[in-house]
């Protein structure tokens, strides 16, 4: 009975694998890791990982990046919250990002606007709400864009930071663009914006190939154990030493029958089989 149950299980798994080759599984990534595939090339960006001469990755060693244009100043930190050991923001209102005494310490991006002579601050990034994508899908080596938002029901604010690939060093943000009420965009150059490129060859079986190998190993173990038992214990010789030989001989017809029944199920009855009776002319 155990052998029969194993046979049925293997037959079911084999049928599911053969009839469902398009199944796929998504692999989750960390907040500051992004993978993009273009043809046979896999671009892997890891902003948070240490690289040569930059043990903190994309993180600013000062604890924050800062850019000022006209009457607007933005502080931000990529992949983490901001830390101010010097030059902290001074704002009349900073309640959504730590309050006046800890302004900027409880968010990932903060904007200050000069309104009537007062610097009024509001959070435009809370953290780990980072959305990452390549800047140009036709040229993935250009870099990536990291977007963060405040997540507030009152203000729909955001900051988009373009991290351009630059192997020669770091160039901090120098420009600032604004669209709408409080949507901002800036850019910086950093080696972390350069992808690690992996060439992907072959058709890429992935999980399908792994599952198929496991099934084949289970089948081989079952077949070997059955042959040994029948040969040494039951003293069976010849081709009959193969366990359940009749089942394996009929296996192709069983698979064909299941495939045909599934095809008929999804296709529906054909016009030539609408009725089991045909008209007879007298």
């Amino acid at each position: 009975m155990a052998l029969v149950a194993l046979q049925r299980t293997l037959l079911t798994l084999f049928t599911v694998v053969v009839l469902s080759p398009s199944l796929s599984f998504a692999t989750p990534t960390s907040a500051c890791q992004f993978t993009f595939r273009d043809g046979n090339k896999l671009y892997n960006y890891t902003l948070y990982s240490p690289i040569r001469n930059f043990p903190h990755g994309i993180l600013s060693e000062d604890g924050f990046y800062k850019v000022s244009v006209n009457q607007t100043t933005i502080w931000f930190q990529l992949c983490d919250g901001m830390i101010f050991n010097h030059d902290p923001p001074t704002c009349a209102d900073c309640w959504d990002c730590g309050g006046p005494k800890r302004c900027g310490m409880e968010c990932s991006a903060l904007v200050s606007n000069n309104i009537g002579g007062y610097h009024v601050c509001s959070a435009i990034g809370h953290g780990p709400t980072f959305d990452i994508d390549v800047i140009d899908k036709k040229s993935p080596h250009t870099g990536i864009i990291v977007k963060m938002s405040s997540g507030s029901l009152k203000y729909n604010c955001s900051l988009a930071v373009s991290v351009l690939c630059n192997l020669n060093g770091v160039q901090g943000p120098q420009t600032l663009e604004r669209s709408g009420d409080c949507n901002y965009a800036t850019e910086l150059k950093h080696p972390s914006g350069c992808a690690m490129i992996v060439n992907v060859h072959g058709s890429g079986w992935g999980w399908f190939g792994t599952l198929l190998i496991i099934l084949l190993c289970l089948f081989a173990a079952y077949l070997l154990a059955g042959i040994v038992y029948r040969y040494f214990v039951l003293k069976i010789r010849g081709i009959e030493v193969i366990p359940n030989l009749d089942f394996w001989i009929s296996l192709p017809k069983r698979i064909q029958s299941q495939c045909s029944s599934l095809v008929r199920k999804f296709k529906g009855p054909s016009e030539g089989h609408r009725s089991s009776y045909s008209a007879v002319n007298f």
Side-chain angles (χ1 to χ4, degrees):
M1 295 297 293
L3 291 176
V4 175
L6 179 58
Q7 293 170 5
R8 293 178 178 176
T9 302
L10 290 173
L11 178 60
T12 303
L13 289 174
F14 181 80
T15 304
V16 170
V17 170
V18 170
L19 296 178
S20 305
S22 61
L23 293 176
S24 60
F25 297 93
T27 304
T29 56
S30 62
C32 274
Q33 182 175 348
F34 181 75
T35 301
F36 175 76
R37 181 169 181 174
D38 182 22
N40 293 329
K41 293 184 178 180
L42 190 68
Y43 295 82
N44 186 26
Y45 306 86
T46 54
L47 298 179
Y48 204 88
S49 300
I51 56 178
R52 184 179 180 181
N53 298 328
F54 299 96
H56 304 289
I58 195 68
L59 295 180
S60 172
E61 296 183 357
D62 293 332
F64 61 91
Y65 292 98
K66 182 179 180 181
V67 55
S68 298
V69 175
N70 297 330
Q71 300 296 322
T72 301
T73 301
I74 285 184
W75 299 264
F76 67 92
Q77 179 72 290
L78 295 176
C79 305
D80 204 352
M82 292 185 290
I83 299 176
F84 289 95
N85 295 319
H86 69 282
D87 192 22
T90 55
C91 304
D93 185 9
C94 194
W95 298 111
D96 55 350
C97 191
K101 295 183 179 180
R102 291 176 51 86
C103 186
M105 300 288 283
E106 296 182 7
C107 62
S108 54
L110 183 73
V111 60
S112 171
N113 288 295
N114 192 323
I115 302 176
Y118 294 93
H119 294 280
V120 179
C121 288
S122 59
I124 53 176
H126 276 291
T129 55
F130 298 98
D131 294 325
I132 304 178
D133 200 356
V134 291
I135 297 176
D136 186 359
K137 287 183 170 57
K138 295 182 179 180
S139 301
H141 59 274
T142 302
I144 59 176
I145 183 169
V146 182
K147 186 176 181 179
M148 59 191 83
S149 58
S150 60
S152 174
L153 296 177
K154 184 177 180 181
Y155 299 104
N156 186 18
C157 300
S158 66
L159 173 64
V161 181
S162 297
V163 183
L164 304 178
C165 173
N166 185 23
L167 295 174
N168 298 325
V170 177
Q171 181 179 329
Q174 298 179 350
T175 61
L176 182 64
E177 298 180 1
R178 178 175 179 174
S179 62
D181 294 332
C182 55
N183 297 314
Y184 301 90
T186 186
E187 66 178 31
L188 59 89
K189 297 180 180 179
H190 199 283
S192 295
C194 304
M196 293 182 60
I197 304 176
V198 179
N199 290 323
V200 182
H201 299 286
S203 56
W205 282 57
W207 70 271
F208 174 76
T210 303
L211 180 59
L212 189 60
I213 292 174
I214 293 175
L215 291 178
L216 292 176
C217 291
L218 289 175
F219 173 73
Y222 151 75
L223 198 63
L224 180 61
I227 291 174
V228 171
Y229 173 77
R230 292 170 67 84
Y231 186 87
F232 291 100
V233 178
L234 301 181
K235 306 299 181 180
I236 298 176
R237 299 296 184 268
I239 194 173
E240 296 296 332
V241 75
I242 299 176
N244 298 291
L245 181 61
D246 295 336
F247 172 81
W248 299 118
I249 292 176
S250 63
L251 181 61
K253 293 184 178 180
R254 291 172 180 264
I255 296 176
Q256 183 180 6
S257 177
Q258 289 195 14
C259 293
S260 300
S261 62
L262 287 176
V263 170
R264 287 195 300 269
K265 179 179 179 181
F266 290 102
K267 188 177 181 180
S270 61
E271 294 181 359
H273 296 83
R274 291 182 178 178
S275 175
S276 59
Y277 298 95
S278 60
V280 178
N281 296 326
F282 293 98

